[in-house]
Amino acid sequence: MRGSPALTSRAAGWFRRLLQKPKQSSIHASSSSHSTTSHSLSSSPSSFSSSSSAWSSSSSSSTSTAQPSRPAPVDISSSSSARWAKSYDVCICHSEVDLEFVEELVSYLESQPQSLRCFLQLRDSVAGSAVMTELCEAVQNSHCWVMLITPSFLQDPWCRYQMHQALAEAPMANGRTIPVLKDIDRKDYPRELRNLYYIYVALKENSFRQIRDTVLRYLEELCRSSTSGMQ
């Protein structure tokens, strides 16, 4: 039995409205999800700030702990210092042509509070001794060797001989051999010394200070290692 057209039309319209009506639970879930997302986004800056603060604190702590500690000062003039194991603190290897400059350097070093002991060939060599013997003993009896490399040094066979003696005495250098370049181009720097940094004489006062500091640094390290070895 067929229904009337009017009844069928009303039933179809009611069924269509039922399908189009949104479910309350779906609306609530969507609203809840949007609220949660909004809360997460609003709280994100504070979380980032907290994380950034923690990283900064960690970085600061890491930086502060990474600072190297300075070695304890050493009295190189102490009577028990390893400095006194040799007769001289520094031997100046130079050409006679450069004697005036060398005498100024020696005067500067010996006037320091540490009273650095310098070997100056024309002053300290024993009269009548063989030149070769004096040069060898000067190298062996000195902690450090300043090589004043000038055009005259490069042409003097005795200077080159003393340079080779110093390199044979301490092949690894360790701060003992101190090349000082004066009035020569860097390209003329002796090949035998090219594994060592050098001091270039531009201003005399500055180069004197550099030489002094290098000698003192070596003596301090020598005395510090000697003291720690005895403990």
Side-chain angles (χ1 to χ4, degrees), residues 83 89-92 101-119 123 144 146 178 207-216:
R83 174 188 180 189
D89 297 315
V90 56
C91 171
I92 314 296
F101 179 90
V102 171
E103 287 178 332
E104 289 184 53
L105 172 61
V106 168
S107 177
Y108 174 84
L109 295 176
E110 293 182 339
S111 66
Q112 296 303 303
Q114 298 84 359
S115 299
L116 294 172
R117 302 164 300 155
C118 300
F119 178 87
R123 181 191 68 181
C144 298
V146 169
I178 307 169
S207 60
F208 282 8
R209 282 195 295 270
Q210 286 181 283
I211 294 169
R212 176 202 63 191
D213 293 346
T214 305
V215 173
L216 288 176

PDB file of all heavy atoms in Angstrom, residues 83 89-92 101-119 123 144 146 178 207-216:
ATOM      1  N   ARG A  83     117.803  26.318  38.341  1.00  0.00           N
ATOM      2  CA  ARG A  83     118.496  27.346  37.551  1.00  0.00           C
ATOM      3  C   ARG A  83     120.002  27.312  37.789  1.00  0.00           C
ATOM      4  O   ARG A  83     120.792  27.558  36.877  1.00  0.00           O
ATOM      5  CB  ARG A  83     117.928  28.711  37.927  1.00  0.00           C
ATOM      6  CG  ARG A  83     118.636  29.901  37.297  1.00  0.00           C
ATOM      7  CD  ARG A  83     118.112  31.196  37.900  1.00  0.00           C
ATOM      8  NE  ARG A  83     118.752  32.364  37.337  1.00  0.00           N
ATOM      9  CZ  ARG A  83     118.589  33.585  37.817  1.00  0.00           C
ATOM     10  NH1 ARG A  83     117.790  33.793  38.861  1.00  0.00           N
ATOM     11  NH2 ARG A  83     119.225  34.607  37.251  1.00  0.00           N
ATOM     12  N   ASP A  89     122.308  31.704  32.406  1.00  0.00           N
ATOM     13  CA  ASP A  89     120.898  31.595  32.027  1.00  0.00           C
ATOM     14  C   ASP A  89     120.739  31.673  30.512  1.00  0.00           C
ATOM     15  O   ASP A  89     119.879  31.005  29.943  1.00  0.00           O
ATOM     16  CB  ASP A  89     120.083  32.713  32.678  1.00  0.00           C
ATOM     17  CG  ASP A  89     120.099  32.627  34.202  1.00  0.00           C
ATOM     18  OD1 ASP A  89     119.922  31.515  34.725  1.00  0.00           O
ATOM     19  OD2 ASP A  89     120.314  33.665  34.858  1.00  0.00           O
ATOM     20  N   VAL A  90     121.555  32.490  29.879  1.00  0.00           N
ATOM     21  CA  VAL A  90     121.428  32.672  28.428  1.00  0.00           C
ATOM     22  C   VAL A  90     122.785  32.970  27.808  1.00  0.00           C
ATOM     23  O   VAL A  90     123.579  33.726  28.357  1.00  0.00           O
ATOM     24  CB  VAL A  90     120.409  33.802  28.110  1.00  0.00           C
ATOM     25  CG1 VAL A  90     120.788  35.102  28.797  1.00  0.00           C
ATOM     26  CG2 VAL A  90     120.258  33.999  26.618  1.00  0.00           C
ATOM     27  N   CYS A  91     123.011  32.349  26.666  1.00  0.00           N
ATOM     28  CA  CYS A  91     124.216  32.592  25.872  1.00  0.00           C
ATOM     29  C   CYS A  91     123.800  33.371  24.628  1.00  0.00           C
ATOM     30  O   CYS A  91     122.839  32.979  23.940  1.00  0.00           O
ATOM     31  CB  CYS A  91     124.856  31.254  25.487  1.00  0.00           C
ATOM     32  SG  CYS A  91     126.213  31.416  24.300  1.00  0.00           S
ATOM     33  N   ILE A  92     124.491  34.476  24.372  1.00  0.00           N
ATOM     34  CA  ILE A  92     124.171  35.290  23.198  1.00  0.00           C
ATOM     35  C   ILE A  92     125.100  34.899  22.053  1.00  0.00           C
ATOM     36  O   ILE A  92     126.312  35.110  22.119  1.00  0.00           O
ATOM     37  CB  ILE A  92     124.338  36.796  23.491  1.00  0.00           C
ATOM     38  CG1 ILE A  92     123.692  37.171  24.833  1.00  0.00           C
ATOM     39  CG2 ILE A  92     123.742  37.616  22.346  1.00  0.00           C
ATOM     40  CD1 ILE A  92     122.212  36.979  24.897  1.00  0.00           C
ATOM     41  N   PHE A 101     124.864  46.266  19.677  1.00  0.00           N
ATOM     42  CA  PHE A 101     123.480  45.863  19.972  1.00  0.00           C
ATOM     43  C   PHE A 101     123.461  44.801  21.067  1.00  0.00           C
ATOM     44  O   PHE A 101     122.630  44.860  21.988  1.00  0.00           O
ATOM     45  CB  PHE A 101     122.825  45.327  18.698  1.00  0.00           C
ATOM     46  CG  PHE A 101     121.401  44.865  18.882  1.00  0.00           C
ATOM     47  CD1 PHE A 101     120.343  45.740  18.712  1.00  0.00           C
ATOM     48  CD2 PHE A 101     121.116  43.543  19.220  1.00  0.00           C
ATOM     49  CE1 PHE A 101     119.030  45.312  18.878  1.00  0.00           C
ATOM     50  CE2 PHE A 101     119.818  43.105  19.388  1.00  0.00           C
ATOM     51  CZ  PHE A 101     118.763  43.989  19.215  1.00  0.00           C
ATOM     52  N   VAL A 102     124.362  43.840  20.986  1.00  0.00           N
ATOM     53  CA  VAL A 102     124.408  42.741  21.951  1.00  0.00           C
ATOM     54  C   VAL A 102     124.761  43.258  23.349  1.00  0.00           C
ATOM     55  O   VAL A 102     124.183  42.813  24.354  1.00  0.00           O
ATOM     56  CB  VAL A 102     125.420  41.665  21.500  1.00  0.00           C
ATOM     57  CG1 VAL A 102     125.630  40.625  22.591  1.00  0.00           C
ATOM     58  CG2 VAL A 102     124.927  40.991  20.229  1.00  0.00           C
ATOM     59  N   GLU A 103     125.678  44.192  23.449  1.00  0.00           N
ATOM     60  CA  GLU A 103     126.038  44.744  24.758  1.00  0.00           C
ATOM     61  C   GLU A 103     124.851  45.459  25.405  1.00  0.00           C
ATOM     62  O   GLU A 103     124.657  45.376  26.622  1.00  0.00           O
ATOM     63  CB  GLU A 103     127.226  45.696  24.615  1.00  0.00           C
ATOM     64  CG  GLU A 103     128.547  44.979  24.352  1.00  0.00           C
ATOM     65  CD  GLU A 103     129.711  45.941  24.166  1.00  0.00           C
ATOM     66  OE1 GLU A 103     129.474  47.081  23.722  1.00  0.00           O
ATOM     67  OE2 GLU A 103     130.858  45.538  24.444  1.00  0.00           O
ATOM     68  N   GLU A 104     124.049  46.133  24.606  1.00  0.00           N
ATOM     69  CA  GLU A 104     122.834  46.765  25.141  1.00  0.00           C
ATOM     70  C   GLU A 104     121.856  45.705  25.643  1.00  0.00           C
ATOM     71  O   GLU A 104     121.244  45.865  26.710  1.00  0.00           O
ATOM     72  CB  GLU A 104     122.172  47.623  24.070  1.00  0.00           C
ATOM     73  CG  GLU A 104     122.913  48.890  23.718  1.00  0.00           C
ATOM     74  CD  GLU A 104     122.134  49.739  22.724  1.00  0.00           C
ATOM     75  OE1 GLU A 104     120.939  50.028  22.997  1.00  0.00           O
ATOM     76  OE2 GLU A 104     122.691  50.086  21.670  1.00  0.00           O
ATOM     77  N   LEU A 105     121.700  44.635  24.881  1.00  0.00           N
ATOM     78  CA  LEU A 105     120.811  43.545  25.282  1.00  0.00           C
ATOM     79  C   LEU A 105     121.293  42.901  26.579  1.00  0.00           C
ATOM     80  O   LEU A 105     120.492  42.678  27.507  1.00  0.00           O
ATOM     81  CB  LEU A 105     120.733  42.490  24.175  1.00  0.00           C
ATOM     82  CG  LEU A 105     120.002  41.193  24.517  1.00  0.00           C
ATOM     83  CD1 LEU A 105     118.545  41.460  24.880  1.00  0.00           C
ATOM     84  CD2 LEU A 105     120.101  40.195  23.357  1.00  0.00           C
ATOM     85  N   VAL A 106     122.574  42.612  26.672  1.00  0.00           N
ATOM     86  CA  VAL A 106     123.129  41.984  27.871  1.00  0.00           C
ATOM     87  C   VAL A 106     122.957  42.901  29.082  1.00  0.00           C
ATOM     88  O   VAL A 106     122.579  42.447  30.179  1.00  0.00           O
ATOM     89  CB  VAL A 106     124.616  41.634  27.655  1.00  0.00           C
ATOM     90  CG1 VAL A 106     125.280  41.257  28.974  1.00  0.00           C
ATOM     91  CG2 VAL A 106     124.746  40.492  26.654  1.00  0.00           C
ATOM     92  N   SER A 107     123.209  44.194  28.898  1.00  0.00           N
ATOM     93  CA  SER A 107     123.030  45.146  29.990  1.00  0.00           C
ATOM     94  C   SER A 107     121.577  45.162  30.466  1.00  0.00           C
ATOM     95  O   SER A 107     121.309  45.203  31.682  1.00  0.00           O
ATOM     96  CB  SER A 107     123.449  46.549  29.526  1.00  0.00           C
ATOM     97  OG  SER A 107     123.215  47.504  30.534  1.00  0.00           O
ATOM     98  N   TYR A 108     120.649  45.094  29.529  1.00  0.00           N
ATOM     99  CA  TYR A 108     119.218  45.068  29.880  1.00  0.00           C
ATOM    100  C   TYR A 108     118.861  43.800  30.663  1.00  0.00           C
ATOM    101  O   TYR A 108     118.202  43.871  31.707  1.00  0.00           O
ATOM    102  CB  TYR A 108     118.387  45.169  28.606  1.00  0.00           C
ATOM    103  CG  TYR A 108     116.905  44.998  28.824  1.00  0.00           C
ATOM    104  CD1 TYR A 108     116.115  46.072  29.214  1.00  0.00           C
ATOM    105  CD2 TYR A 108     116.295  43.758  28.629  1.00  0.00           C
ATOM    106  CE1 TYR A 108     114.749  45.916  29.421  1.00  0.00           C
ATOM    107  CE2 TYR A 108     114.941  43.600  28.822  1.00  0.00           C
ATOM    108  CZ  TYR A 108     114.166  44.675  29.223  1.00  0.00           C
ATOM    109  OH  TYR A 108     112.819  44.511  29.428  1.00  0.00           O
ATOM    110  N   LEU A 109     119.298  42.659  30.191  1.00  0.00           N
ATOM    111  CA  LEU A 109     118.952  41.386  30.839  1.00  0.00           C
ATOM    112  C   LEU A 109     119.580  41.275  32.228  1.00  0.00           C
ATOM    113  O   LEU A 109     118.938  40.809  33.179  1.00  0.00           O
ATOM    114  CB  LEU A 109     119.397  40.210  29.964  1.00  0.00           C
ATOM    115  CG  LEU A 109     118.703  40.063  28.602  1.00  0.00           C
ATOM    116  CD1 LEU A 109     119.312  38.920  27.802  1.00  0.00           C
ATOM    117  CD2 LEU A 109     117.206  39.844  28.778  1.00  0.00           C
ATOM    118  N   GLU A 110     120.812  41.708  32.364  1.00  0.00           N
ATOM    119  CA  GLU A 110     121.507  41.574  33.645  1.00  0.00           C
ATOM    120  C   GLU A 110     121.010  42.579  34.682  1.00  0.00           C
ATOM    121  O   GLU A 110     121.230  42.384  35.881  1.00  0.00           O
ATOM    122  CB  GLU A 110     123.013  41.718  33.444  1.00  0.00           C
ATOM    123  CG  GLU A 110     123.618  40.566  32.648  1.00  0.00           C
ATOM    124  CD  GLU A 110     125.123  40.661  32.475  1.00  0.00           C
ATOM    125  OE1 GLU A 110     125.662  41.776  32.599  1.00  0.00           O
ATOM    126  OE2 GLU A 110     125.748  39.622  32.201  1.00  0.00           O
ATOM    127  N   SER A 111     120.318  43.619  34.229  1.00  0.00           N
ATOM    128  CA  SER A 111     119.784  44.618  35.161  1.00  0.00           C
ATOM    129  C   SER A 111     118.375  44.290  35.642  1.00  0.00           C
ATOM    130  O   SER A 111     117.800  45.030  36.447  1.00  0.00           O
ATOM    131  CB  SER A 111     119.775  46.001  34.487  1.00  0.00           C
ATOM    132  OG  SER A 111     118.855  46.029  33.403  1.00  0.00           O
ATOM    133  N   GLN A 112     117.815  43.180  35.183  1.00  0.00           N
ATOM    134  CA  GLN A 112     116.481  42.773  35.607  1.00  0.00           C
ATOM    135  C   GLN A 112     116.495  42.318  37.069  1.00  0.00           C
ATOM    136  O   GLN A 112     117.536  41.941  37.607  1.00  0.00           O
ATOM    137  CB  GLN A 112     115.960  41.649  34.712  1.00  0.00           C
ATOM    138  CG  GLN A 112     115.773  42.042  33.264  1.00  0.00           C
ATOM    139  CD  GLN A 112     114.836  43.218  33.092  1.00  0.00           C
ATOM    140  OE1 GLN A 112     113.688  43.187  33.527  1.00  0.00           O
ATOM    141  NE2 GLN A 112     115.340  44.275  32.469  1.00  0.00           N
ATOM    142  N   PRO A 113     115.343  42.361  37.751  1.00  0.00           N
ATOM    143  CA  PRO A 113     115.294  41.925  39.161  1.00  0.00           C
ATOM    144  C   PRO A 113     115.810  40.504  39.365  1.00  0.00           C
ATOM    145  O   PRO A 113     116.340  40.182  40.433  1.00  0.00           O
ATOM    146  CB  PRO A 113     113.801  42.025  39.501  1.00  0.00           C
ATOM    147  CG  PRO A 113     113.258  43.034  38.547  1.00  0.00           C
ATOM    148  CD  PRO A 113     114.039  42.880  37.283  1.00  0.00           C
ATOM    149  N   GLN A 114     115.677  39.651  38.330  1.00  0.00           N
ATOM    150  CA  GLN A 114     116.144  38.265  38.449  1.00  0.00           C
ATOM    151  C   GLN A 114     117.643  38.152  38.198  1.00  0.00           C
ATOM    152  O   GLN A 114     118.202  37.061  38.327  1.00  0.00           O
ATOM    153  CB  GLN A 114     115.399  37.358  37.462  1.00  0.00           C
ATOM    154  CG  GLN A 114     113.901  37.288  37.690  1.00  0.00           C
ATOM    155  CD  GLN A 114     113.155  38.445  37.033  1.00  0.00           C
ATOM    156  OE1 GLN A 114     113.757  39.330  36.400  1.00  0.00           O
ATOM    157  NE2 GLN A 114     111.849  38.453  37.191  1.00  0.00           N
ATOM    158  N   SER A 115     118.287  39.258  37.826  1.00  0.00           N
ATOM    159  CA  SER A 115     119.731  39.274  37.557  1.00  0.00           C
ATOM    160  C   SER A 115     120.134  38.131  36.630  1.00  0.00           C
ATOM    161  O   SER A 115     120.942  37.257  36.985  1.00  0.00           O
ATOM    162  CB  SER A 115     120.518  39.186  38.872  1.00  0.00           C
ATOM    163  OG  SER A 115     120.226  40.280  39.718  1.00  0.00           O
ATOM    164  N   LEU A 116     119.572  38.141  35.444  1.00  0.00           N
ATOM    165  CA  LEU A 116     119.865  37.075  34.483  1.00  0.00           C
ATOM    166  C   LEU A 116     121.356  37.043  34.157  1.00  0.00           C
ATOM    167  O   LEU A 116     121.991  38.073  33.942  1.00  0.00           O
ATOM    168  CB  LEU A 116     119.045  37.275  33.207  1.00  0.00           C
ATOM    169  CG  LEU A 116     117.531  37.118  33.391  1.00  0.00           C
ATOM    170  CD1 LEU A 116     116.792  37.520  32.118  1.00  0.00           C
ATOM    171  CD2 LEU A 116     117.173  35.705  33.791  1.00  0.00           C
ATOM    172  N   ARG A 117     121.902  35.850  34.122  1.00  0.00           N
ATOM    173  CA  ARG A 117     123.341  35.660  33.879  1.00  0.00           C
ATOM    174  C   ARG A 117     123.562  35.382  32.390  1.00  0.00           C
ATOM    175  O   ARG A 117     123.081  34.397  31.860  1.00  0.00           O
ATOM    176  CB  ARG A 117     123.855  34.490  34.721  1.00  0.00           C
ATOM    177  CG  ARG A 117     123.629  34.671  36.229  1.00  0.00           C
ATOM    178  CD  ARG A 117     123.797  33.349  36.967  1.00  0.00           C
ATOM    179  NE  ARG A 117     122.856  32.357  36.486  1.00  0.00           N
ATOM    180  CZ  ARG A 117     123.049  31.029  36.556  1.00  0.00           C
ATOM    181  NH1 ARG A 117     124.161  30.543  37.084  1.00  0.00           N
ATOM    182  NH2 ARG A 117     122.136  30.203  36.103  1.00  0.00           N
ATOM    183  N   CYS A 118     124.307  36.269  31.747  1.00  0.00           N
ATOM    184  CA  CYS A 118     124.527  36.171  30.305  1.00  0.00           C
ATOM    185  C   CYS A 118     125.976  35.791  30.004  1.00  0.00           C
ATOM    186  O   CYS A 118     126.904  36.264  30.673  1.00  0.00           O
ATOM    187  CB  CYS A 118     124.207  37.499  29.635  1.00  0.00           C
ATOM    188  SG  CYS A 118     122.509  38.069  29.857  1.00  0.00           S
ATOM    189  N   PHE A 119     126.128  34.971  28.977  1.00  0.00           N
ATOM    190  CA  PHE A 119     127.464  34.679  28.464  1.00  0.00           C
ATOM    191  C   PHE A 119     127.694  35.544  27.243  1.00  0.00           C
ATOM    192  O   PHE A 119     126.980  35.452  26.251  1.00  0.00           O
ATOM    193  CB  PHE A 119     127.618  33.200  28.087  1.00  0.00           C
ATOM    194  CG  PHE A 119     128.970  32.887  27.506  1.00  0.00           C
ATOM    195  CD1 PHE A 119     130.032  32.561  28.337  1.00  0.00           C
ATOM    196  CD2 PHE A 119     129.189  32.944  26.130  1.00  0.00           C
ATOM    197  CE1 PHE A 119     131.292  32.282  27.806  1.00  0.00           C
ATOM    198  CE2 PHE A 119     130.432  32.673  25.585  1.00  0.00           C
ATOM    199  CZ  PHE A 119     131.491  32.349  26.432  1.00  0.00           C
ATOM    200  N   ARG A 123     133.660  38.960  26.386  1.00  0.00           N
ATOM    201  CA  ARG A 123     133.840  39.316  27.788  1.00  0.00           C
ATOM    202  C   ARG A 123     134.154  38.111  28.663  1.00  0.00           C
ATOM    203  O   ARG A 123     134.960  38.197  29.605  1.00  0.00           O
ATOM    204  CB  ARG A 123     132.571  40.020  28.303  1.00  0.00           C
ATOM    205  CG  ARG A 123     132.630  40.464  29.753  1.00  0.00           C
ATOM    206  CD  ARG A 123     131.265  40.902  30.262  1.00  0.00           C
ATOM    207  NE  ARG A 123     130.323  39.794  30.362  1.00  0.00           N
ATOM    208  CZ  ARG A 123     129.056  39.927  30.771  1.00  0.00           C
ATOM    209  NH1 ARG A 123     128.573  41.124  31.049  1.00  0.00           N
ATOM    210  NH2 ARG A 123     128.272  38.870  30.851  1.00  0.00           N
ATOM    211  N   CYS A 144     119.570  28.805  27.970  1.00  0.00           N
ATOM    212  CA  CYS A 144     118.959  29.270  26.720  1.00  0.00           C
ATOM    213  C   CYS A 144     120.024  29.867  25.810  1.00  0.00           C
ATOM    214  O   CYS A 144     121.106  30.262  26.275  1.00  0.00           O
ATOM    215  CB  CYS A 144     117.895  30.341  27.006  1.00  0.00           C
ATOM    216  SG  CYS A 144     116.510  29.763  28.011  1.00  0.00           S
ATOM    217  N   VAL A 146     120.303  32.737  22.684  1.00  0.00           N
ATOM    218  CA  VAL A 146     119.749  33.751  21.785  1.00  0.00           C
ATOM    219  C   VAL A 146     120.607  33.796  20.534  1.00  0.00           C
ATOM    220  O   VAL A 146     121.821  34.028  20.605  1.00  0.00           O
ATOM    221  CB  VAL A 146     119.728  35.140  22.467  1.00  0.00           C
ATOM    222  CG1 VAL A 146     119.397  36.231  21.446  1.00  0.00           C
ATOM    223  CG2 VAL A 146     118.714  35.158  23.606  1.00  0.00           C
ATOM    224  N   ILE A 178     116.358  30.668  20.977  1.00  0.00           N
ATOM    225  CA  ILE A 178     115.543  31.862  20.744  1.00  0.00           C
ATOM    226  C   ILE A 178     116.111  32.622  19.542  1.00  0.00           C
ATOM    227  O   ILE A 178     117.048  33.423  19.684  1.00  0.00           O
ATOM    228  CB  ILE A 178     115.529  32.770  21.986  1.00  0.00           C
ATOM    229  CG1 ILE A 178     115.125  31.970  23.229  1.00  0.00           C
ATOM    230  CG2 ILE A 178     114.580  33.952  21.783  1.00  0.00           C
ATOM    231  CD1 ILE A 178     115.335  32.717  24.528  1.00  0.00           C
ATOM    232  N   SER A 207     111.707  44.176  21.529  1.00  0.00           N
ATOM    233  CA  SER A 207     112.412  42.902  21.313  1.00  0.00           C
ATOM    234  C   SER A 207     113.187  42.500  22.550  1.00  0.00           C
ATOM    235  O   SER A 207     113.248  41.315  22.891  1.00  0.00           O
ATOM    236  CB  SER A 207     113.348  43.012  20.106  1.00  0.00           C
ATOM    237  OG  SER A 207     114.321  44.022  20.303  1.00  0.00           O
ATOM    238  N   PHE A 208     113.768  43.463  23.281  1.00  0.00           N
ATOM    239  CA  PHE A 208     114.467  43.144  24.527  1.00  0.00           C
ATOM    240  C   PHE A 208     113.498  42.525  25.540  1.00  0.00           C
ATOM    241  O   PHE A 208     113.842  41.541  26.213  1.00  0.00           O
ATOM    242  CB  PHE A 208     115.094  44.415  25.114  1.00  0.00           C
ATOM    243  CG  PHE A 208     116.371  44.840  24.432  1.00  0.00           C
ATOM    244  CD1 PHE A 208     116.814  44.212  23.280  1.00  0.00           C
ATOM    245  CD2 PHE A 208     117.128  45.890  24.935  1.00  0.00           C
ATOM    246  CE1 PHE A 208     117.991  44.607  22.633  1.00  0.00           C
ATOM    247  CE2 PHE A 208     118.306  46.298  24.315  1.00  0.00           C
ATOM    248  CZ  PHE A 208     118.733  45.652  23.154  1.00  0.00           C
ATOM    249  N   ARG A 209     112.303  43.104  25.645  1.00  0.00           N
ATOM    250  CA  ARG A 209     111.313  42.561  26.577  1.00  0.00           C
ATOM    251  C   ARG A 209     110.888  41.151  26.176  1.00  0.00           C
ATOM    252  O   ARG A 209     110.713  40.270  27.031  1.00  0.00           O
ATOM    253  CB  ARG A 209     110.092  43.477  26.656  1.00  0.00           C
ATOM    254  CG  ARG A 209     110.294  44.703  27.518  1.00  0.00           C
ATOM    255  CD  ARG A 209     108.964  45.363  27.847  1.00  0.00           C
ATOM    256  NE  ARG A 209     108.320  45.883  26.653  1.00  0.00           N
ATOM    257  CZ  ARG A 209     108.499  47.122  26.183  1.00  0.00           C
ATOM    258  NH1 ARG A 209     109.325  47.942  26.809  1.00  0.00           N
ATOM    259  NH2 ARG A 209     107.859  47.533  25.109  1.00  0.00           N
ATOM    260  N   GLN A 210     110.694  40.937  24.884  1.00  0.00           N
ATOM    261  CA  GLN A 210     110.315  39.599  24.412  1.00  0.00           C
ATOM    262  C   GLN A 210     111.393  38.567  24.741  1.00  0.00           C
ATOM    263  O   GLN A 210     111.087  37.451  25.154  1.00  0.00           O
ATOM    264  CB  GLN A 210     110.061  39.629  22.905  1.00  0.00           C
ATOM    265  CG  GLN A 210     108.760  40.294  22.499  1.00  0.00           C
ATOM    266  CD  GLN A 210     108.579  40.268  20.994  1.00  0.00           C
ATOM    267  OE1 GLN A 210     109.198  41.048  20.264  1.00  0.00           O
ATOM    268  NE2 GLN A 210     107.747  39.361  20.517  1.00  0.00           N
ATOM    269  N   ILE A 211     112.639  38.940  24.529  1.00  0.00           N
ATOM    270  CA  ILE A 211     113.744  38.021  24.848  1.00  0.00           C
ATOM    271  C   ILE A 211     113.766  37.723  26.341  1.00  0.00           C
ATOM    272  O   ILE A 211     113.883  36.560  26.765  1.00  0.00           O
ATOM    273  CB  ILE A 211     115.084  38.622  24.391  1.00  0.00           C
ATOM    274  CG1 ILE A 211     115.120  38.726  22.860  1.00  0.00           C
ATOM    275  CG2 ILE A 211     116.255  37.770  24.886  1.00  0.00           C
ATOM    276  CD1 ILE A 211     116.282  39.547  22.322  1.00  0.00           C
ATOM    277  N   ARG A 212     113.642  38.760  27.147  1.00  0.00           N
ATOM    278  CA  ARG A 212     113.617  38.564  28.605  1.00  0.00           C
ATOM    279  C   ARG A 212     112.470  37.631  29.024  1.00  0.00           C
ATOM    280  O   ARG A 212     112.680  36.682  29.797  1.00  0.00           O
ATOM    281  CB  ARG A 212     113.440  39.918  29.300  1.00  0.00           C
ATOM    282  CG  ARG A 212     113.295  39.829  30.823  1.00  0.00           C
ATOM    283  CD  ARG A 212     112.616  41.069  31.377  1.00  0.00           C
ATOM    284  NE  ARG A 212     111.250  41.200  30.864  1.00  0.00           N
ATOM    285  CZ  ARG A 212     110.492  42.286  31.018  1.00  0.00           C
ATOM    286  NH1 ARG A 212     110.993  43.346  31.635  1.00  0.00           N
ATOM    287  NH2 ARG A 212     109.259  42.323  30.535  1.00  0.00           N
ATOM    288  N   ASP A 213     111.278  37.901  28.516  1.00  0.00           N
ATOM    289  CA  ASP A 213     110.106  37.091  28.905  1.00  0.00           C
ATOM    290  C   ASP A 213     110.278  35.636  28.477  1.00  0.00           C
ATOM    291  O   ASP A 213     109.858  34.716  29.188  1.00  0.00           O
ATOM    292  CB  ASP A 213     108.841  37.674  28.292  1.00  0.00           C
ATOM    293  CG  ASP A 213     108.490  39.033  28.882  1.00  0.00           C
ATOM    294  OD1 ASP A 213     109.060  39.391  29.935  1.00  0.00           O
ATOM    295  OD2 ASP A 213     107.651  39.732  28.265  1.00  0.00           O
ATOM    296  N   THR A 214     110.875  35.412  27.307  1.00  0.00           N
ATOM    297  CA  THR A 214     111.073  34.042  26.828  1.00  0.00           C
ATOM    298  C   THR A 214     112.059  33.292  27.709  1.00  0.00           C
ATOM    299  O   THR A 214     111.837  32.121  28.057  1.00  0.00           O
ATOM    300  CB  THR A 214     111.576  34.055  25.369  1.00  0.00           C
ATOM    301  OG1 THR A 214     110.675  34.795  24.564  1.00  0.00           O
ATOM    302  CG2 THR A 214     111.669  32.636  24.822  1.00  0.00           C
ATOM    303  N   VAL A 215     113.135  33.940  28.091  1.00  0.00           N
ATOM    304  CA  VAL A 215     114.127  33.303  28.974  1.00  0.00           C
ATOM    305  C   VAL A 215     113.505  33.005  30.332  1.00  0.00           C
ATOM    306  O   VAL A 215     113.654  31.896  30.874  1.00  0.00           O
ATOM    307  CB  VAL A 215     115.368  34.206  29.134  1.00  0.00           C
ATOM    308  CG1 VAL A 215     116.312  33.628  30.193  1.00  0.00           C
ATOM    309  CG2 VAL A 215     116.100  34.353  27.802  1.00  0.00           C
ATOM    310  N   LEU A 216     112.789  33.970  30.897  1.00  0.00           N
ATOM    311  CA  LEU A 216     112.167  33.770  32.217  1.00  0.00           C
ATOM    312  C   LEU A 216     111.116  32.662  32.162  1.00  0.00           C
ATOM    313  O   LEU A 216     111.001  31.866  33.106  1.00  0.00           O
ATOM    314  CB  LEU A 216     111.531  35.073  32.697  1.00  0.00           C
ATOM    315  CG  LEU A 216     112.505  36.184  33.123  1.00  0.00           C
ATOM    316  CD1 LEU A 216     111.738  37.452  33.491  1.00  0.00           C
ATOM    317  CD2 LEU A 216     113.360  35.721  34.303  1.00  0.00           C
TER     318      LEU A 216
END
